[in-house]
Amino acid sequence: MAVYPVTHPLIRHKVTMLRDPKTNSKDFRDIVTELSTFLAYEATKDLPLTNITINGWQGTPIDVQIVEEKDPSIVPVFRAGIGMQEGFLKVIPTARISYIGYYRDETTLQPKNYYAKLAEDVQERRNYILDPMLATGGTTSAVCTLLREAGVKDIKVLCILAAPEGIRRVAEDHPDVDIIPAVIDSHLNERGYIIPGLGDAGDRLFGTR
Ligand code: URA
């Protein structure tokens, strides 16, 4: 597994804006969209290029390159992952969308899947899991397992903040999955919140509490 934190100063700046409790939901959503666009660029920089020949502006053949892949599938994890969808789609507008939902079983404390509608031929596509907060890693690991069971080979996780605990969990359970966090934070508190973090990303995005 590889972790690719994005080191650009604008990423730091925008994450700082998200951490500020004075940032309202509309601005929070806009910033998450911008950050998701950056993350999508980073996550797709290994796409293979195919050489082709086209007729250029002078009417003569020129050798150029294109990305000739089946459209990827993005996997926004309910609820907060929805906030990252638009930003990713600015980079690859034709991406398929595989929605997945989990809740936490109050008895076992394990993530339980309640919704999954995967893209057609999902196993032939690159899959990008979108979830702004990689906290304990329990849900992300479960999403990876679900995708693996569907035959998916290529999985990357895009998140705004990651806790070291979550990175370790995904690395142990799914060593071949890459993680692209905007920022890696310090640790989790006793309630599973990322510290320093930004609070509940779903509530901040959608104005709930
Ligand atoms: N989910 C959130 O929204 N925030 C956290 O800090 C951890 C998980």
Side-chain angles (χ1 to χ4, degrees):
M1 190 213 54
V3 184
Y4 301 98
V6 190
T7 53
H8 199 287
L10 289 177
I11 298 259
R12 288 277 162 174
H13 180 91
K14 288 173 193 294
V15 170
T16 298
M17 293 169 80
L18 293 183
R19 294 189 198 277
D20 185 343
K22 293 196 293 302
T23 299
N24 65 30
S25 279
K26 190 235 172 252
D27 291 342
F28 194 94
R29 275 197 299 277
D30 289 347
I31 298 164
V32 168
T33 296
E34 290 169 7
L35 283 167
S36 304
T37 301
F38 282 124
L39 292 173
Y41 271 113
E42 192 68 21
T44 51
K45 69 181 183 190
D46 62 346
L47 287 177
L49 286 165
T50 305
N51 295 322
I52 60 164
T53 304
I54 60 168
N55 272 332
W57 66 279
Q58 291 176 300
T60 51
I62 51 171
D63 297 330
V64 289
Q65 298 178 309
I66 54 164
V67 175
E68 199 181 43
E69 287 243 318
K70 221 176 174 70
D71 286 329
S73 141
I74 56 172
V75 187
V77 182
F78 286 152
R79 177 178 57 140
I82 309 279
M84 297 177 70
Q85 172 179 316
E86 188 186 331
F88 192 103
L89 291 175
K90 284 182 194 286
V91 178
I92 307 187
T94 53
R96 304 297 176 94
I97 305 174
S98 302
Y99 284 120
I100 292 197
Y102 278 82
Y103 69 91
R104 201 155 89 122
D105 186 299
E106 290 308 327
T107 330
T108 64
L109 302 182
Q110 296 306 310
K112 283 273 184 196
N113 178 248
Y114 66 87
Y115 189 83
K117 187 78 179 167
L118 302 182
E120 188 185 12
D121 301 331
V122 72
Q123 72 284 358
E124 295 168 20
R125 303 176 190 275
R126 292 171 192 263
N127 277 258
Y128 299 93
I129 297 174
L130 308 181
D131 200 346
M133 308 297 272
L134 178 58
T136 64
T139 301
T140 303
S141 175
V143 174
C144 292
T145 302
L146 187 147
L147 291 173
R148 287 279 184 246
E149 286 171 0
V152 170
K153 290 175 281 300
D154 196 293
I155 305 175
K156 288 185 174 27
V157 176
L158 280 59
C159 55
I160 308 284
L161 294 185
E165 294 89 333
I167 292 175
R168 269 198 300 278
R169 169 76 191 267
V170 175
E172 276 166 27
D173 295 354
H174 300 281
D176 46 358
V177 166
D178 290 339
I179 303 176
I180 295 105
V183 174
I184 301 175
D185 263 5
S186 166
H187 63 280
L188 295 178
N189 73 7
E190 62 294 342
R191 291 173 56 217
Y193 277 86
I194 298 178
I195 303 298
L198 50 76
D200 186 300
D203 285 347
R204 301 284 311 274
L205 278 164
F206 303 120
T208 53
R209 43 176 302 160

